[in-house]
Amino acid sequence: MRIVVSEFMSLDGVVQAPGGAEEDTDGGFAHGGWSHPFFDPEVVGGAFSEALATAEALLFGRRTWQTMAAAWPERAGDPFADRMNAIPKYVVSSTLGDELGWRNSTRIPGQDAVARIEQLRRSEGGDLLVMGSPTLVRALLGEGLVDELRLMVMPVLLGGGKSIFPEDGALRTLELVSTVTGSTGVNVCTYRTAGKG
């Protein structure tokens, strides 16, 4: 399986709380819901639909999984929600128990995360899609486990907040595969990892 990361991102690299005011206020972040004015149903919505269509499973950090688990089960009845609810889901957590309320969810204990994700990546199949989950994505990038980044870069500066990028001083080269610009100024950029150096 390929590990594909899909993120809403500001021009200054912030991915924190794109969906709502109370989604993630860590560090005093006060701009929750910042992505809404820039959502382009055709380009951004299309990018999400395409990513989900090629995914064989979803991978989340605990906080993103909890946010999604609180939202999607009650939206059953439209094709996107039905797919979100039916697809296998993995959540990396040291604090959640193994009894997970969102259908088709499996916990990966935090201490086993890298080994278990490497095992999933070596298995046959479609994409293992990661949405949100900045701490997890930062760790995956640091371990060299991300195959593709799909960044929906929005024309806004947030002045600080959570990022997906490791701050370890390592050089990581990416290959730009495609860019699509939406009517609101969003650039959906797809990058593939090209190794170190």
Side-chain angles (χ1 to χ4, degrees), residues 1-2 56 116-126:
M1 298 176 86
R2 295 184 323 144
E56 186 161 307
R116 182 70 178 107
I117 292 167
E118 284 177 332
Q119 183 181 27
L120 286 169
R121 188 173 180 233
R122 286 192 302 270
S123 65
E124 295 293 321

Side-chain angles (χ1 to χ4, degrees), residues 48-98:
F48 262 104
S49 294
E50 179 185 331
L52 193 58
T54 59
E56 186 161 307
L58 303 176
L59 175 63
F60 297 106
R62 177 195 53 82
R63 179 177 284 195
T64 303
W65 180 88
Q66 288 177 312
T67 299
M68 299 282 201
W72 286 106
E74 64 190 42
R75 297 182 189 177
D78 80 66
F80 191 87
D82 290 346
R83 176 84 169 129
M84 287 289 289
N85 290 321
I87 194 169
K89 293 166 278 289
Y90 297 94
V91 54
V92 175
S93 174
S94 298
T95 58
L96 292 173
D98 287 330

Side-chain angles (χ1 to χ4, degrees), residues 17-37:
E22 303 303 318
E23 181 180 347
D24 181 358
T25 58
D26 283 0
F29 189 75
H31 305 298
W34 55 267
S35 71
H36 294 286

Side-chain angles (χ1 to χ4, degrees), residues 167-184:
E167 295 183 358
D168 56 8
L171 176 67
R172 294 172 177 89
T173 303
L174 304 174
E175 173 192 0
L176 179 63
V177 177
S178 68
T179 302
V180 180
T181 302
S183 61
T184 61

Side-chain angles (χ1 to χ4, degrees), residues 3-9 15 18 44 47-52 59 64 68 128-133 137 146 148-152 164 188-189:
I3 296 182
V4 175
V5 172
S6 181
E7 297 282 350
F8 292 116
M9 182 175 288
V15 298
V44 177
F48 262 104
S49 294
E50 179 185 331
L52 193 58
L59 175 63
T64 303
M68 299 282 201
L128 181 58
L129 179 63
V130 188
M131 295 183 280
S133 310
V137 172
V146 174
E148 187 171 285
L149 288 168
R150 295 180 184 174
L151 306 178
M152 285 153 277
I164 61 169
V188 178
C189 303

